[in-house]
Amino acid sequence: MTPSRRFIDASLVGCYHTDEMSTLDSLNHEIESCTDCELASQRTRVVPGEGPEHSSILFIGEAPGFHEDQEGRPFVGAAGRFLEQLLASINLRRDQVFIANVVKCRPPNNRDPLPGEIQSCRKWLDKQIEVIKPKMIVTLGRYSMVRFFPGESIGKIHGKARKRDSIIYFPMYHPAAALHQGSLRQTLKADMLKVPELLAQMGKGDGGTQAKQLGMF
Ligand code: URA
């Protein structure tokens, strides 16, 4: 990740001055050097996630795929293009939200992440949530859903929000699921359309202002 400010030109100030890194930048550096599970030995790049440090909305997918592993950025393949369409349907661009994954390194051949891999990566998502302090967490797919709704089924709870500790949790199907099962496209579109209203209804919080600032209305 790029630092939040540029280096000061050393020739002007007569000394070298390294810029302070934002908390999120330093967290990203930590994530990028993680070797806590087997996935580290097979990855091309770590994919910590990206977006503004204090995004109101945090989207959480499953794990990087081939393209994400090559680029070090989340959701840059076909599923990402559909996610961008879904965001556009509520007047959002991807750079206005934070996009992360449950697992930060690509499982070989895009296999499902193993329980041990999910467990050793858990701390990174916890820290991201602590730093970003999102108003709303949108889970994309089963792996991300069970992190917040253990024992529940995506077929039953997708599109239904729950508020806990001042955060709205909103489970959705994974955009990639709609690429394999066309009927889920409509479901994902309908669920995404609920996001602006949910954010606006955040009780006494400033959800309405947040939604307006994001240009959703
Ligand atoms: N699928 C995910 O869950 N995450 C990505 O970053 C890309 C595809």
Side-chain angles (χ1 to χ4, degrees):
M1 291 292 281
T2 47
S4 55
R5 277 175 283 140
R6 293 184 178 284
F7 289 111
I8 289 179
D9 183 340
S11 66
L12 293 177
V13 293
C15 66
Y16 288 102
H17 178 98
T18 50
D19 196 8
E20 278 171 45
M21 269 198 261
S22 74
T23 314
L24 194 61
D25 286 337
S26 9
L27 176 56
N28 283 342
H29 280 289
E30 269 190 83
I31 299 174
E32 279 160 3
S33 49
C34 177
T35 53
D36 291 351
C37 81
E38 281 298 308
L39 295 180
S41 61
Q42 314 206 29
R43 70 190 178 212
T44 311
R45 309 235 345 225
V46 182
V47 184
E50 64 184 18
E53 176 144 354
H54 296 298
S55 302
S56 299
I57 313 178
L58 168 62
F59 286 84
I60 307 173
E62 177 181 324
F66 175 81
H67 297 285
E68 290 77 20
D69 174 68
Q70 295 291 308
E71 291 190 33
R73 299 181 57 214
F75 281 95
V76 289
R81 284 191 290 281
F82 185 40
L83 178 60
E84 286 173 21
Q85 283 174 27
L86 292 168
L87 289 171
S89 76
I90 54 168
N91 210 16
L92 281 182
R93 296 183 316 269
R94 62 178 289 152
D95 62 4
Q96 293 177 292
V97 299
F98 203 95
I99 304 176
N101 283 305
V102 169
V103 168
K104 312 300 187 195
C105 298
R106 182 192 182 209
N109 303 315
N110 295 350
R111 65 155 167 74
D112 289 344
L114 302 173
E117 293 159 355
I118 294 172
Q119 185 51 34
S120 64
C121 224
R122 191 179 172 91
K123 57 185 174 294
W124 299 130
L125 193 54
D126 285 342
K127 288 185 186 179
Q128 287 177 313
I129 294 170
E130 248 171 60
V131 172
I132 298 166
K133 298 188 176 44
K135 306 272 174 217
M136 183 167 189
I137 291 181
V138 180
T139 62
L140 301 171
R142 214 158 35 90
Y143 283 90
S144 152
M145 178 205 71
V146 295
R147 175 110 171 25
F148 304 99
F149 303 102
E152 308 224 31
S153 125
I154 186 109
K156 290 207 177 116
I157 68 165
H158 74 88
K160 294 178 187 154
R162 275 184 224 174
K163 194 169 175 184
R164 204 187 293 153
D165 301 329
S166 309
I167 298 180
I168 293 186
Y169 294 87
F170 188 63
M172 287 180 56
Y173 280 102
H174 195 289
L179 305 177
H180 308 296
Q181 198 181 329
S183 59
L184 287 180
R185 261 186 108 78
Q186 262 325 109
T187 310
L188 270 151
K189 284 183 183 173
D191 287 349
M192 186 65 95
L193 290 177
K194 296 179 187 170
V195 167
E197 188 56 29
L198 286 165
L199 201 55
Q201 279 177 2
M202 281 200 59
K204 55 182 166 33
D206 58 354
T209 314
Q210 300 267 340
K212 275 198 193 103
Q213 280 168 355
L214 281 166
M216 291 168 139
F217 301 126

